[in-house]
Amino acid sequence: MAAISAVTNYRASSPPMNFIDTPSQELFASNVFNKAVMKKRLPKAIFKSVLKTIETGMKLDPAVADIVASAMKDWAISKGATHYAHVFFPLTGLTAEKHDSFLTPDGEGSALAEFSGSQLIQGEPDGSSFPSGGIRATFEARGYTIWDVTSPAYILENPNGTTLCIPTAFVSWTGEALDKKTPVLRSMQALNKQAQRILKLFGHTDGAMVSATAGPEQEYFLVDRNFFFARPDLINAGRTLFGAKPPKGQEFEDHYFGAIPERVLAFMLEVERELFKLGVPIKTRHNEVAPGQYEIAPIFEFANLATDHQQLTMITLRRVAEKYGMACLNHEKPFAGVNGSGKHVNWSMGSSSRGNLLDPGDTPHDNAQFLLLCAAVIRAVHKYQGLLRAVVASASNDHRLGANEAPPAIISIFLGDQLTHVFDQIKAGAANTSLPKGTLTVGVDVLPPLPKDTGDRNRTSPFAFTGNRFEFRAVGASQSIAGPLVALNTIVAESLDYCATRLEEATKGDTKKLNEALQKLLTQIINEHGAVIFNGNGYSEEWHAEAKTRGLLNLKTTTDALPYLQTDDVKALFEKYNVLSERELKSRYDIYVEQYCKSVNVEARLMVRMSRTMIFPAAVRYQNQLAATCVNLKLVGYTFDTNTLDKITELVKGLQDTTATLDKALSGHHFDDLLAEAKHFNETVLPAMAAVRKVADELEGYVADDIWPLPTYQEMLFIK
Ligand code: ADP
Ligand code: MG
């Protein structure tokens, strides 16, 4: 009650923003040490050298670093910075920072502002408590942060001062990756290398770097903080472990693309302004399907930068939400029975000279190249479907994937009718020179116009072609997009390598032979890997049955999916393209399995606690009230229908029993193997949790509202 009145009496506390005096375009990247700032502040030769590193991936000249550091420091101090921080991305999927002061004592009683090239390039945080999956024993805990030149430094504001933030890679003293960023950078290199070979076959030899591009759409929920803090489950697990479905759900779909409530809009405007200052090109905002659910999306950028910006976006959403008296939830399934939150990762590749390579062209020549790249992606996704499923696997995303709203756990590709038709024609063209009628002749025929931005036309596909890019929709809302991007970049690199090798062998430098070789290769790829293409309803029962006959994997849970990080195929893949060594990959696998165990364990323990200390007491209190009423009524000669009392008594017993079973499932077991433990959590603990919840949610429908100890779904989702 107090929470409800606090929510309904909410008043904004910060002064309104003024976009007339400070237009957004002036703010954009105002806190970023980007190319424009560098150009102004660096000697020409130094600027050129840095630019070369950024644009061609060339190694940075160490002599340059001191000068850049000094310019960066002066710029940061002019923006009020007192400290600098190496920002890094440990395998927890979160963002970590180590702050150091610019000031160094000068030995004579004062202090100098100092920042050298070596401090810019390398740092040594005490990272021993970050998971390393056995790469680093704590006694040799040294981990280093290394400046990532391709992601610009920026200023993070705080009312009491600002900090210069330097995006870095985090590696062990042996040079092994301990973070999410390092493999992103490596996989982008691998993709570039193989893409160059393809472009060369098509006569494009300008050498402009081909980069993976990414545009992640982030879904999230907003809940008033008064409710949030009354829910230990939201605070500690990010999702509600209890809560009956409200009488009015999302069946009316009246929230989707509806008007945005005023407080939420104010929040969004501030989020966008903050991100604008950091150079994050936020573009769209809208309501999502579920009540209280929203989405934010930037304009796409190079994959590495997009990843860093995505992390900043998640942090900013949370921080600004607090200011507006709300909590931002980016858990994949905060509310059972209500739509979950994903993070659609739009992915493509492009170069400064050729533009977006997944854009179908206007000429048959460009179309041939486009079809080849598309086929390479189809092959990659089919061949490595297990890996793609594994990189989106987490305890939280399990509640979403495969449920009746998110893409299914089966990885398939939606191509759309036109493009599917094109590939069908190619498929018909058997591998001989006299093509049967109705076959599309690659490099001669023009493609039918493909609809761009097909957007939401097929929401049920985990991996959809949307006109000029692919959209990986199985990614969870709370995840770092690094893992999915590393997987995509690397599997496509492998496919491009395969295609380039085949075509190079067939043409032997004779460009006239290219079209024929291409036709053959495309036909073969579509015959071998076309099974992954599916344009129908991914939610349907029939699809699950059909996917099985097509031999597609259906890895329903994290414990089914994660072992795909350890198959020989996947090990060889990452090793071959220098993205992750076998040891690095193993460490990741160990960490992710362990994370799974930890998250389910925390939730389960929390559930036992809440059941015993919140729900049980409320239920017996109400039971007692009913019993007292019954006795009193009898005393004065009335009869009392004990139906409700009977039901409550039965449910209270059920709650005690199921809670005891859950508690037991949590203790007294030992596994030598982490995966066995994870399976125990999946197969025994999760069902035990579901049993507790079932009884508790039923109780919610009987116990008096003023006694029920938790804010209800109705309150959290509809009172704003
Ligand atoms: P929808 O909701 O229809 O999927 P949005 O506009 O919300 O569309 O999001 C589309 C996302 O795809 C944006 O982040 C956009 O920048 C991104 N995108 C567009 N083109 C590319 C591309 N070539 N590479 C990567 N991402 C892209
Ligand atoms: Mg989308």
Coordinates of all heavy atoms in Angstrom, one line a residue, residues 1 214 278 286 368 439 583 585 626:
M1 N 0.8 -1.2 0.0 CA 0.0 0.0 0.0 C 0.9 1.2 0.0 O 0.7 2.2 -0.8 CB -0.9 0.0 1.3 CG -2.3 -0.6 1.1 SD -3.0 -0.4 -0.6 CE -3.9 1.1 -0.4
A214 N 27.6 -4.3 -36.2 CA 26.6 -4.9 -35.3 C 25.7 -3.7 -34.9 O 26.1 -2.6 -34.6 CB 27.2 -5.6 -34.1
L278 N 28.4 10.2 -25.0 CA 29.5 9.2 -25.1 C 29.7 8.6 -26.5 O 30.4 7.7 -26.8 CB 29.1 8.0 -24.2 CG 29.0 8.4 -22.7 CD1 28.5 7.2 -21.9 CD2 30.4 8.7 -22.2
H286 N 11.0 2.5 -28.4 CA 9.5 2.3 -28.4 C 9.1 1.3 -27.3 O 9.9 0.6 -26.7 CB 9.0 1.8 -29.8 CG 9.6 0.6 -30.3 ND1 9.4 -0.7 -29.8 CD2 10.6 0.3 -31.3 CE1 10.0 -1.6 -30.4 NE2 10.8 -1.0 -31.4
A368 N 26.0 -11.6 -57.6 CA 26.7 -12.9 -57.5 C 27.5 -12.9 -56.2 O 27.5 -13.8 -55.5 CB 27.6 -13.0 -58.7
T439 N 16.4 -22.0 -63.9 CA 17.5 -21.8 -63.1 C 18.1 -20.4 -63.2 O 18.1 -19.9 -64.3 CB 18.7 -22.8 -63.5 OG1 18.2 -24.1 -63.5 CG2 19.8 -22.7 -62.5
R583 N 43.0 -23.9 -24.7 CA 42.9 -23.6 -23.3 C 42.0 -22.4 -23.0 O 41.2 -22.5 -22.0 CB 44.3 -23.2 -22.8 CG 44.8 -23.9 -21.5 CD 46.3 -23.8 -21.4 NE 46.7 -22.5 -20.9 CZ 47.0 -22.3 -19.6 NH1 46.8 -23.3 -18.7 NH2 47.4 -21.1 -19.1
L585 N 39.4 -21.6 -24.8 CA 38.0 -22.1 -25.0 C 37.6 -22.9 -23.8 O 36.5 -22.7 -23.3 CB 38.0 -22.9 -26.3 CG 36.6 -23.3 -26.7 CD1 35.7 -22.1 -27.0 CD2 36.6 -24.2 -27.9
L626 N -8.9 -17.0 9.3 CA -10.1 -17.7 8.9 C -10.5 -18.7 10.0 O -11.8 -18.8 10.2 CB -9.8 -18.5 7.6 CG -9.6 -17.7 6.3 CD1 -9.2 -18.6 5.2 CD2 -10.9 -17.0 5.9

